[in-house]
Amino acid sequence: MNRWNYKRLKEGPYSSAGIFGEQYAFEILTGICDVPEYYPITKEEFDTYDEWKENYDKVVSEIKNRKLIYSSYRDWSDNNHDV
């Protein structure tokens, strides 16, 4: 799987929610170049994204403690985007 498998369905400030393969995912832009990282989220979190996207500090801190689905930082230098 690579970052091109992500389908953005909902947008917010510096983040989005969508589907990464078959998994609901939260995309957050990180670093000075806004490089995306993708974290797994539940269907309930996806469905309520519009409610928490503007003030999401608590939710995002919990989501960012989960294992990444994909990070665009990994293997970036050799253009190998496979996880």
Side-chain angles (χ1 to χ4, degrees), residues 6 8 14-18 25-29 36-39 49:
Y6 180 72
R8 184 178 296 135
Y14 305 104
S15 67
S16 71
F26 175 71
E27 173 192 43
I28 189 165
L29 302 177
E37 291 183 340
Y38 304 92
Y39 294 89
Y49 176 74

Side-chain angles (χ1 to χ4, degrees), residues 5-80:
N5 294 111
Y6 180 72
K7 292 184 179 128
R8 184 178 296 135
L9 301 174
K10 299 181 179 187
E11 292 190 34
Y14 305 104
S15 67
S16 71
I19 297 178
F20 207 113
E22 304 252 336
Q23 168 71 53
Y24 287 102
F26 175 71
E27 173 192 43
I28 189 165
L29 302 177
T30 61
I32 195 165
C33 296
D34 288 338
V35 177
E37 291 183 340
Y38 304 92
Y39 294 89
I41 59 173
T42 66
K43 178 163 180 10
E44 181 181 344
E45 289 169 329
F46 173 80
D47 290 341
T48 60
Y49 176 74
D50 291 325
E51 296 170 21
W52 56 264
K53 71 180 179 183
E54 297 295 332
N55 187 12
Y56 59 74
D57 290 338
K58 182 179 178 186
V59 177
V60 170
S61 65
E62 178 187 320
I63 290 171
K64 287 178 75 174
N65 283 324
R66 300 174 189 169
K67 184 177 179 180
L68 281 167
I69 295 173
Y70 184 81
S71 173
S72 293
Y73 287 115
R74 186 179 300 166
D75 296 326
W76 187 258
S77 62
D78 65 1
N79 293 323
N80 177 6

